[in-house]
Amino acid sequence: MNTHTFSTRLKSGDAVYLRPIGPRDRAREVALIAGFSDHSRYLRFFTGAKTVPEAVIDQLVNVDGYHHIAWGALDLETAGAPLMGVVRAIRRDGSDVADLAMGVLDAHHGKGLARLLMAAVVHDAIDAGITRFAADTLAENNAARALFRAMGGHAAGRDGLVVTFEFDAATAAERLDAMVAPEALADLREALGPRRPAPAHAPSDQSA
C-alpha cells in the first residue's frame, strides 16, 4: 500500500492532512458514515440508514493499494483525528477499470476537498495501471454529476434513479489537476513519489 502522506491547503485556505486509508481506520470509517447528514448519506450509499452492515465496513477498509485504493482527509484539529472525507477506486476483477466512490462530510462541502481527494485517488490508480473509471450516482445528486462532467466523464447508462458515468483516466487526471489549487497539486505529486510496481500477486497484464 502507498504509505505517503501530506499536509496542504485547500482553495478555501483550510489546512488538510491526506493519506491512504486502510484497516487501521475502521473506527474512523464508521464515524464518518454516522457523521453524514441523512441526505448526504442517502446520496452516498443510496440509503438513509445511519449504520451499514459490518460486511460493508469490511469492504471499505480492505484496501491494498492495487485492487482497492482509498485516500482520506483527516482532521488533526479534533481529538482522534476523524475523517473529513474519503474517495476510493475499486478495480474490477482482471481489468484496468475501477469504480469510483466518494463521501465528504457536509461541513467540508464547497472547499475543494472532494476534488483534491479525487485527484489523489485518480493519480494513484493510474500508477497502479488503471486506464478507465466508472462511477454510479443518483440522478438527483447534482454536485456529483457536475464534478464527474468536469472530470471529462459522460453518462453511459441509467438504471432507475442511478446514473453511471464513465471516464478516461488520463483525461480525468488532467481535468482534476486544473481544478486543484497549485500548492496542493504540488504537495500531492511529491507525496505520490515515483511510480510504484504492482504487487507480486497482481495479474501480469495489469503491471504498473
Side-chain angles (χ1 to χ4, degrees), residues 26-114:
R26 185 183 185 89
R28 290 187 175 98
E29 284 276 10
V30 172
L32 179 70
I33 294 169
F36 290 136
S37 68
D38 290 344
H39 184 59
S40 290
R41 194 178 305 107
Y42 168 67
L43 293 178
R44 168 63 180 87
F45 293 100
F46 307 167
T47 176
K50 290 186 181 297
T51 59
V52 297
E54 288 296 312
V56 173
I57 301 298
D58 291 341
Q59 294 172 1
L60 293 178
V61 300
N62 184 22
V63 178
D64 65 1
Y66 180 80
H67 298 96
H68 184 172
I69 296 167
W71 279 70
L74 276 66
D75 179 5
L76 300 184
E77 300 295 320
T78 300
L83 284 166
M84 304 159 67
V86 174
V87 172
R88 65 185 71 247
I90 301 175
R91 186 187 298 267
R92 294 181 180 177
D93 289 343
S95 78
D96 60 355
V97 182
D99 293 301
L100 293 170
M102 63 179 177
V104 173
L105 288 176
D106 297 57
H108 303 294
H109 287 181
K111 297 181 178 180
L113 181 56

Side-chain angles (χ1 to χ4, degrees), residues 108-177:
H108 303 294
H109 287 181
K111 297 181 178 180
L113 181 56
R115 294 177 179 185
L116 179 57
L117 283 168
M118 187 69 75
V121 166
V122 165
H123 280 286
D124 210 359
I126 288 174
D127 279 352
I130 295 298
T131 65
R132 290 177 293 148
F133 294 104
D136 290 338
T137 187
L138 292 173
E140 68 184 84
N141 193 341
N142 294 325
R145 291 171 64 188
L147 175 58
F148 294 159
R149 290 193 185 101
M151 291 167 55
H154 66 277
R158 179 165 179 166
D159 183 5
L161 300 177
V162 179
V163 180
T164 299
F165 281 80
E166 295 183 350
F167 315 79
D168 171 74
T171 299
E174 181 180 1
R175 296 283 188 89
L176 285 162
D177 286 355

